[in-house]
Amino acid sequence: MAKKDLKQYVCQNCGAIYPKWQGKCDACGEWNTIQEETLSSEGFSNINAKHSSGKELDFVALSGAKEQIDRRSTGIAELDRVCGGGLVAGSVILVGGDPGIGKSTLLLQVCASVANSADKPEVYYISGEEAIDQVRIRAKRLGLENSPVNLASSTEIKDIITSLKKSDAAVVVIDSIQTMYLSDVDSTPGSVTQVRACSYELIKLAKKKGFTLFLVGHVTKQGEIAGPRVLEHMVDTVLYFEGERGHHFRILRSVKNRYGATDEIGVFEMQDKGLVEVANPSALFLAERQGNISGSCVFAGIEGSRPVLVEIQALVSQSGYSSPKRAVVGWDTNRLSMVLAVLEARCGINLSSQDVYLNIAGGLRITEPAADLAVALAVISSLSNKPLPADMVVFGEIGLSGEIRAVSQPSLRLKEAKKLGFTSAITPTNRASEKKLSEDINLHQIGNVQRLINLFN
Ligand code: TYD
Ligand code: MG
């Protein structure tokens, strides 16, 4: 049969497929993202081409699961925790992040650390972005040049698959999936079809041979992993490596994990000798806090399973604009607008002629609504120019009617605060679990934002 090429038009933003070219993608609404891609009759479509009749499956019972999944420690505790307790054999981990954030550095450190473990596993680091010498220079800088890591520079998936098939690999790193190329697929590296086809081949091999596969993925301007969303569905774990430019802290966050909890974070600090784990992030985030300054409030947050204390800074100043400015770093702008609106409507605080700037110190991004109360207090403190007590932490969600709602795990938050020497806390009212701690830490439980004003009188 003559080889028949299939043409299709794929949105490079969302992966939607069209039979004809069009200017705008109906699925995601983006313009000029649709490109022609060709699938040869072999290659990507061989997924179902060869077994037309199919073979029978062996069905089994639900019982009989292993008590515990075998996990391999990477020797980097922060990464182990984010992965749910270590690397699972045959699992695939996608690591996304902005360019220059430290993905290659982290994974090289992981490779070296695993390669040096007692059972001497085979570890492969395949770079499609950097030449061998570049990786070697980095390894030297990190002091890892003597680790038994197998290094290669390649972008050809077929070569990589052939080499790995022969190996007894335990961990494989592909840096990055957007540079990889499968010659059967006639589109450029980084295109949706290539990324999908290359990942498919690699993942299939990882499952078959039982090695842990790390795929590095670039992110788009919107902060999503470039290429189709399907890539996130194909892998077991998705980790994002984030951090503000100009800060040393790097946060590894799990957004999907088939083998553990999500929203878990690992905290690292980028130093001149690579990434160093931060075992006690609260102490670090609060290290540069200056006491007795208005507009500063310590929020007792939870990231994944771990309590983290961070300083929330607000600056309220007379606006020179007709519509006042609201600028936020590290939190949700809409959430700030909501908190400000509640303060205006329920407490009679006038902010309509004031610019409000909000900053989460240290470069952490907070997503919890539990930070509402701390934000409100920081804003009122800045507006009234009265500092909050330096030894006080705050948490609580604010509702539209001004009520303060309970949040999850209050005792864990208070315990962390106590550990770091805080002596008082403003929290939502009545939660049985908080009572136990109330002797150690001075609790002010409040039910409504109107009560906040009294605190400043
Ligand atoms: P890199 O791992 O190349 O980032 P990515 O792979 O995510 O693009 O990190 C590069 C940055 O990290 C670069 O700006 C320099 C910095 N860096 C250090 O500060 N210390 C180090 O030891 C190393 C290796 C890199
Ligand atoms: Mg890199």
Side-chain angles (χ1 to χ4, degrees):
M1 199 174 77
K3 194 173 154 188
K4 191 168 133 251
D5 283 346
L6 293 170
K7 278 207 170 43
Q8 57 179 15
Y9 296 83
V10 183
C11 171
Q12 302 297 308
N13 185 49
C14 70
I17 299 171
Y18 299 92
K20 278 202 289 193
W21 188 86
Q22 56 192 66
K24 185 184 175 188
C25 174
D26 298 333
C28 66
E30 289 289 317
W31 286 90
N32 291 330
T33 53
I34 295 174
Q35 281 182 16
E36 179 184 309
E37 292 185 354
T38 315
L39 289 177
S40 67
S41 49
E42 299 150 28
F44 188 43
S45 51
N46 71 5
I47 303 163
N48 41 30
K50 286 188 183 135
H51 313 281
S52 48
S53 64
K55 64 177 184 348
E56 249 176 68
L57 300 177
D58 293 329
F59 289 98
V60 292
L62 278 179
S63 63
K66 274 195 210 168
E67 284 293 297
Q68 251 186 332
I69 314 169
D70 291 334
R71 292 177 189 268
R72 170 187 287 285
S73 166
T74 59
I76 300 176
E78 293 290 296
L79 177 70
D80 284 354
R81 201 189 43 254
V82 175
C83 294
L87 306 179
V88 178
S91 72
V92 183
I93 302 169
L94 178 63
V95 182
D98 288 334
I101 205 78
K103 301 181 292 296
S104 305
T105 307
L106 176 71
L107 290 174
L108 193 59
Q109 286 180 259
V110 171
C111 282
S113 176
V114 173
N116 281 322
S117 40
D119 59 336
K120 296 276 167 249
E122 280 184 28
V123 176
Y124 292 80
Y125 182 95
I126 299 161
S127 178
E129 300 201 332
E130 290 162 312
I132 292 201
D133 280 336
Q134 282 175 291
V135 183
R136 282 187 173 155
I137 291 170
R138 173 174 300 135
K140 189 149 194 279
R141 178 172 174 181
L142 299 170
L144 302 173
E145 69 270 35
N146 295 324
S147 308
V149 175
N150 299 293
L151 171 66
S153 176
S154 171
T155 56
E156 185 49 68
I157 284 290
K158 282 193 173 161
D159 299 350
I160 296 173
I161 299 271
T162 310
S163 324
L164 291 178
K165 259 186 189 156
K166 284 202 212 115
S167 74
D168 194 14
V171 172
V172 175
V173 173
I174 302 288
D175 187 2
S176 65
I177 190 66
Q178 275 90 3
T179 56
M180 294 298 148
Y181 182 74
L182 187 62
S183 51
D184 294 333
V185 180
D186 183 19
S187 51
T188 50
S191 67
V192 173
T193 316
Q194 276 291 0
V195 168
R196 201 160 33 182
C198 295
S199 316
Y200 176 77
E201 296 296 333
L202 288 166
I203 293 169
K204 200 167 62 175
L205 189 69
K207 303 276 173 210
K208 191 166 147 209
K209 305 256 326 169
F211 58 78
T212 304
L213 174 65
F214 282 95
L215 298 176
V216 174
H218 287 213
V219 294
T220 58
K221 273 186 241 122
Q222 290 81 30
E224 286 169 4
I225 290 177
R229 258 279 137 98
V230 281
L231 188 52
E232 295 197 8
H233 296 299
M234 287 163 86
V235 301
D236 300 303
T237 304
V238 180
L239 307 179
Y240 274 92
F241 206 31
E242 6 171 281
E244 292 289 332
R245 252 169 217 286
H247 280 105
H248 315 166
F249 310 127
R250 299 283 182 267
I251 314 262
L252 191 65
R253 191 185 291 279
S254 83
V255 293
K256 162 181 173 177
N257 195 352
R258 289 189 183 141
Y259 300 105
T262 49
D263 275 333
E264 196 69 74
I265 64 164
V267 184
F268 296 88
E269 190 178 352
M270 181 62 99
Q271 296 184 352
D272 54 352
K273 277 201 175 300
L275 291 154
V276 179
E277 296 177 65
V278 175
N280 188 349
S282 302
L284 194 82
F285 288 131
L286 296 178
E288 284 162 45
R289 193 165 66 108
Q290 313 203 329
N292 227 16
I293 296 241
S294 65
S296 158
C297 180
V298 177
F299 165 55
I302 301 270
E303 291 288 343
S305 61
R306 190 159 58 160
V308 178
L309 303 191
V310 276
E311 182 191 0
I312 293 184
Q313 302 173 326
L315 182 66
V316 180
S317 69
Q318 191 66 37
S319 179
Y321 305 94
S322 53
S323 62
K325 221 173 145 62
R326 270 82 178 101
V328 183
V329 178
W331 206 48
D332 182 7
T333 317
N334 294 331
R335 198 87 205 167
L336 174 68
S337 306
M338 192 207 84
V339 170
L340 297 182
V342 171
L343 289 180
E344 291 205 342
R346 309 290 170 194
C347 307
I349 297 172
N350 185 8
L351 293 158
S352 58
S353 59
Q354 308 282 344
D355 289 338
V356 179
Y357 300 90
L358 190 79
N359 178 36
I360 310 299
L364 189 70
R365 262 205 76 79
I366 308 183
T367 48
E368 267 192 302
D372 292 352
L373 191 56
V375 169
L377 273 167
V379 168
I380 302 174
S381 157
S382 174
L383 185 71
S384 61
N385 203 14
K386 285 189 185 154
L388 293 161
D391 58 358
M392 185 178 80
V393 296
V394 178
F395 58 86
E397 183 182 340
I398 296 179
L400 287 184
S401 56
E403 83 277 18
I404 307 214
R405 294 159 170 261
V407 299
S408 63
Q409 317 211 45
S411 35
L412 196 59
R413 297 171 198 262
L414 291 172
K415 225 181 254 163
E416 176 79 356
K418 189 171 169 264
K419 203 170 87 190
L420 282 140
F422 288 85
T423 55
S424 66
I426 299 187
T427 69
T429 39
N430 78 53
R431 269 286 181 102
S433 51
E434 284 169 52
K435 295 231 169 70
K436 280 181 262 156
L437 278 151
S438 52
E439 296 134 43
D440 305 326
I441 207 158
N442 198 357
L443 285 192
H444 305 277
Q445 302 192 339
I446 57 174
N448 199 293
V449 280
Q450 279 144 9
R451 296 255 327 265
L452 291 181
I453 307 297
N454 306 342
L455 294 171
F456 289 89
N457 294 331

